[in-house]
């Protein structure tokens, strides 16, 4: 009888032990991860409603000892990721990571966590924006007064240009966290008066939202144009007023009176010694188009615009259908060996601008019988502008 009790006791102990082992095997060790992109700054109304597709976010989980390192899309992860005991780091980021792009916030977060044997670690991550947002708004006065305008925002990683299409679409630019340069160009409908002004933003940080409000005003008795840039940063309000054309009025005093006499800076000039009257010329192989640009107030901007029939050729070597020889890196890289560009122009008071070798090339891609117009727009640091159009005619082929 005692042996029977011993057998029962052994069987009971075995059953209990078996039950413990079963429970241990069914217990799970790992990570439960939930992700919430921070929607403090959104791009457009539709994105604000839908939010970014977090299922497309990249997730990388690494064990600090180096024995585990795996990556997947967030939407591919199971509800519980089985991991062994230890310390880990999880990195999450949105899939699109261009340093400068339209409507592309970059989300990213990195977090360390610990896995304990027999338990599930519940990790909730908020994924903040890592880049900066820039939006541009034009005043009604700006739209009504100007027949041409553009707002260029750039940093060391790239450039975006807001024109009528981008502004009407409400496009937001997103930039890497580096100092920004803002350039505003405008041309007045009434008299063709132009202004080119710059604003530099040195103090920048992730999640900054740079709201640019651009206005065109008329000041002084002669009503020169003035550009005003109202720039507000996140939690750092800053109003910046940049004057446009300052003109001497009221007997040589500055506008408003009470100031001392001001010597105006001479406006830029363009000389073409071989064709001083800028007469339209036929395109030939031996033509002389050696130009001299004189800018006493130092060159601030240098744009070459072409007629519509030649814009597609320009877009092959530049970022726009025109040449910005100071700010467009693509144009500078492609044409810098043939034309003065970049630092060879900016800040200079006189430059030779040779087109004798380039204009004849139109005959290889142009349409015989058409005119090709090149307009040089040069601005100086005092706000003065030069705009001069050169007209070249591609003769029709002689009749057979």
């Amino acid at each position: 009888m005692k042996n029977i009790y011993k057998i029962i006791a052994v069987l009971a102990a075995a059953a209990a032990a078996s039950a413990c082992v079963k429970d241990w095997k069914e217990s799970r060790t790992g990570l439960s991860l939930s992700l919430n992109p921070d929607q403090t700054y959104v791009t457009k109304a539709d994105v604000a409603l839908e939010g970014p597709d977090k299922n497309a976010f990249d997730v990388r989980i690494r064990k600090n000892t180096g024995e585990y390192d795996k990556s997947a899309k967030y939407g591919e992860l199971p509800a519980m990721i089985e991991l062994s005991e230890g310390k880990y780091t999880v990195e999450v980021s949105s899939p699109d990571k261009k340093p400068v792009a339209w409507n592309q916030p970059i989300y990213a977060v990195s977090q360390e966590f610990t896995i304990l044997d027999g338990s599930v670690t519940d990790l909730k991550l908020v994924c903040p924006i890592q880049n900066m947002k820039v939006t541009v708004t034009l005043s009604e006065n700006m739209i009504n007064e100007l027949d041409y305008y553009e707002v260029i925002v750039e940093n060391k990683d790239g450039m975006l240009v807001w024109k009528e299409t981008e502004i009407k679409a409400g496009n937001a630019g997103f930039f890497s966290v580096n100092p920004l340069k803002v350039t505003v160009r405008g041309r007045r409908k009434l008299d063709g008066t132009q202004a080119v002004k710059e604003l530099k933003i040195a103090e920048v940080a992730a999640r900054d939202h740079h709201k640019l409000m651009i206005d065109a005003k008329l000041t002084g008795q002669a009503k020169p144009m003035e550009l005003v840039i109202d720039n507000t940063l996140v939690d750092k309000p800053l109003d910046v007023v940049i004057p446009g054309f300052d003109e001497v009025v009221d007997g040589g005093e500055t506008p408003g009176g009470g100031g001392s006499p001001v010597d105006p800076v001479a406006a830029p000039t363009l000389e073409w010694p071989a064709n001083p009257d800028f007469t339209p010329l036929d395109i030939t192989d031996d033509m002389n188009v050696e130009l001299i640009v004189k800018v006493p107030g130092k060159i601030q901007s240098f744009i070459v615009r072409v007629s519509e029939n030649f814009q597609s050729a320009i877009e092959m070597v530049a970022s726009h259908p025109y040449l910005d020889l100071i700010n467009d890196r693509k144009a500078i890289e492609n044409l810098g060996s043939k034309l003065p560009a970049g630092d060879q122009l900016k800040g200079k008071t006189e430059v030779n601008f040779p087109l004798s070798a380039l204009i004849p090339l139109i005959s290889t891609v142009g349409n015989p019988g058409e005119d090709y117009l090149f307009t040089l727009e040069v601005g100086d640091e005092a706000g003065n502008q030069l705009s001069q159009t050169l007209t070249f005619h591609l003769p029709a082929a002689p009749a057979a």
Side-chain angles (χ1 to χ4, degrees):
M1 194 70 174
K2 290 182 178 180
N3 290 334
I4 293 177
Y5 288 132
K6 287 181 179 180
I7 293 173
I8 293 174
V10 170
L11 291 175
S18 175
C20 290
V21 170
K22 182 178 180 181
D23 289 342
W24 179 81
K25 286 184 177 179
E26 288 184 349
S27 68
R28 307 187 71 179
T29 301
L31 172 68
S32 174
L33 178 65
S34 63
L35 178 64
N36 179 32
D38 183 359
Q39 287 295 286
T40 302
Y41 304 114
V42 294
T43 53
K44 298 180 182 178
D46 54 347
V47 179
L49 292 174
E50 297 177 5
D53 181 10
K54 64 182 180 182
N55 288 326
F57 280 30
D58 298 313
V59 179
R60 180 185 181 189
I61 300 175
R62 296 180 291 113
K63 195 169 186 177
N64 291 5
T65 58
E67 61 192 72
Y68 183 95
D69 189 339
K70 292 187 178 180
S71 300
K73 296 293 183 181
Y74 179 73
E76 300 171 351
L77 297 176
M80 203 282 291
I81 307 165
E82 295 194 32
L83 299 171
S84 61
E85 186 176 17
K87 293 184 177 181
Y88 293 79
T89 299
V90 59
E91 299 169 351
V92 181
S93 62
S94 50
D96 298 322
K97 304 177 180 67
K98 294 179 182 177
V100 176
W102 294 112
N103 306 314
Q104 183 214 259
I106 297 176
Y107 298 86
V109 67
S110 178
Q111 179 71 51
E112 289 189 347
F113 63 94
T114 301
I115 297 295
L116 300 177
D117 189 24
S119 66
V120 176
T121 298
D122 187 12
L123 189 61
K124 300 182 186 299
L125 294 181
V126 175
C127 207
I129 290 177
Q130 301 298 315
N131 50 356
M132 305 186 299
K133 180 179 178 181
V134 175
T135 53
V136 174
T137 304
L138 300 184
S139 69
E140 288 297 324
N141 194 50
M142 179 93 169
I143 296 172
N144 294 334
E145 286 287 341
L146 306 184
D147 63 2
Y148 170 80
Y149 52 80
E150 66 179 11
V151 180
I152 302 169
V153 183
E154 60 185 307
N155 66 10
K156 71 179 189 65
D157 290 324
M159 170 196 301
L160 294 175
V161 181
W162 278 260
K163 293 188 178 181
E164 182 178 2
T165 301
E166 290 76 22
I167 292 174
K168 285 186 175 180
N171 285 339
F174 282 82
F175 291 79
S176 59
V177 183
N178 291 290
L180 295 172
K181 175 185 173 184
V182 180
T183 304
V184 181
R185 295 191 176 96
R187 183 174 60 213
R188 191 177 170 205
K189 294 178 183 178
L190 182 62
D191 56 9
T193 303
Q194 300 182 55
V196 179
K197 291 302 170 183
E198 293 184 355
L199 167 68
K200 293 183 179 179
I201 306 174
E203 296 184 6
V204 294
R207 292 167 51 83
D208 275 354
H209 182 183
H210 303 262
K211 301 177 181 178
L212 303 178
M213 177 65 187
I214 316 298
D215 191 15
K217 295 183 178 180
L218 302 177
T219 59
Q221 293 183 0
K223 294 187 177 180
M225 185 168 70
E226 180 181 280
L227 292 179
V228 178
I229 302 178
D230 178 8
N231 176 48
T232 305
L233 307 182
V234 173
D235 297 328
K236 293 183 290 183
L238 173 65
D239 292 334
V240 180
V241 177
I242 298 183
F245 291 114
D246 293 328
E247 183 171 277
V248 177
V249 295
D250 298 334
E253 294 186 348
T254 55
S260 57
V262 176
D263 293 328
V265 177
T269 59
L270 178 64
E271 298 177 6
W272 188 354
N275 184 20
D277 296 328
F278 293 89
T279 304
L281 295 182
D282 284 347
I283 297 174
T284 62
D285 291 337
D286 60 349
M287 64 192 313
N288 184 336
V289 192
E290 303 296 313
L291 308 174
I292 303 172
V293 184
K294 296 182 179 180
V295 188
K298 299 182 180 179
I299 295 175
Q300 178 76 14
S301 62
F302 202 109
I303 306 291
V304 180
R305 302 191 186 278
V306 300
S307 49
E308 187 174 353
N309 58 352
F310 199 59
Q311 289 179 356
S312 59
I314 293 297
E315 287 180 317
M316 296 176 64
V317 297
S319 303
H320 319 286
Y322 58 87
L323 299 177
D324 183 343
L325 293 175
I326 290 182
N327 298 302
D328 187 348
R329 290 185 177 86
K330 181 179 178 181
I332 293 172
E333 290 174 1
N334 288 323
L335 299 174
S337 62
K338 302 177 179 64
L339 295 173
D343 292 338
Q344 295 175 319
L345 292 173
K346 191 172 179 63
K348 305 301 182 184
T349 57
E350 182 173 330
V351 293
N352 293 326
F353 199 70
L355 293 175
S356 298
L358 295 178
I359 297 300
L361 297 178
I362 294 176
S363 61
T364 63
V365 296
N367 298 317
E370 291 187 356
D371 288 338
Y372 291 83
L373 279 61
F374 287 69
T375 301
L376 274 65
E377 298 179 355
V378 182
D380 67 12
E381 295 179 359
N384 297 310
Q385 289 283 321
L386 161 73
S387 179
Q388 178 66 57
T389 298
L390 288 63
T391 301
F392 304 98
H393 179 74
L394 185 58

